[in-house]
């Protein structure tokens, strides 16, 4: 996966980080909602607003025993609240890579 840009602000890290911490502990933050278009509740999105901007973090709990953060980005309002297609495609690509990585991790646990 490409290295993330370091554009996060402290408030985002606190709010999003806390939601991810809850997920790691087996819970679900009240602001975490299923991301549309992925069928079910295993791909979750946290939306945080700050100073007129919207930030989103997308992660999966689909892969047992691990949390994979698939994407964190600032939402630029071009299509209302809908997540832009390039962002969805990037999330799908990273989900596929996470599934592959998870399969390798499971194999390593056996040996």
């Amino acid at each position: 996966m490409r290295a993330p840009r370091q554009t996060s602000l402290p408030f985002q890290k606190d709010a999003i980080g806390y939601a991810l911490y809850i997920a790691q502990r087996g819970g679900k933050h009240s602001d975490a909602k299923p991301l549309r278009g992925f069928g079910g509740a295993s791909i979750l999105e946290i939306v945080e607003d700050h100073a007129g901007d919207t930030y989103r973090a997308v992660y999966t709990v689909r892969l047992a025993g691990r949390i994979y953060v698939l994407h964190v980005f600032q939402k630029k309002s071009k299509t209302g609240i809908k997540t832009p297609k390039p962002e969805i495609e990037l999330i799908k690509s990273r989900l596929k890579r996470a599934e592959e990585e998870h399969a390798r991790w499971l194999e390593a646990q056996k040996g």
Side-chain angles (χ1 to χ4, degrees):
M1 291 184 203
R2 74 179 176 182
R5 293 182 312 185
Q6 297 299 317
T7 59
S8 296
L9 300 173
F11 80 90
Q12 296 164 280
K13 291 179 183 176
D14 288 347
I16 291 171
Y18 182 64
L20 293 172
Y21 168 76
I22 291 172
Q24 288 173 326
R25 306 282 296 165
K28 181 179 170 246
H29 191 278
S30 60
D31 291 338
K33 307 287 186 234
L35 182 62
R36 293 177 189 237
F38 284 87
S42 63
I43 308 296
L44 298 166
E45 173 180 52
I46 303 161
V47 178
E48 286 295 324
D49 294 316
H50 179 72
D53 292 323
T54 300
Y55 300 87
R56 295 180 178 195
V58 178
Y59 66 98
T60 183
V61 295
R62 177 185 295 181
L63 308 169
R66 295 180 120 184
I67 302 296
Y68 288 87
V69 177
L70 303 172
H71 194 27
V72 179
F73 60 102
Q74 180 180 358
K75 171 69 170 72
K76 305 285 186 181
S77 185
K78 293 180 183 173
T79 57
I81 63 171
K82 186 175 179 181
T83 304
K85 187 172 180 168
E87 304 293 351
I88 293 292
E89 293 304 317
L90 181 60
I91 292 165
K92 286 180 181 179
S93 165
R94 289 181 175 174
L95 176 61
K96 182 179 178 186
R97 288 192 64 191
E99 290 169 337
E100 292 166 356
E101 168 62 28
H102 191 70
R104 285 191 296 274
W105 178 75
L106 287 175
E107 279 299 314
Q109 299 305 304
K110 292 179 185 177

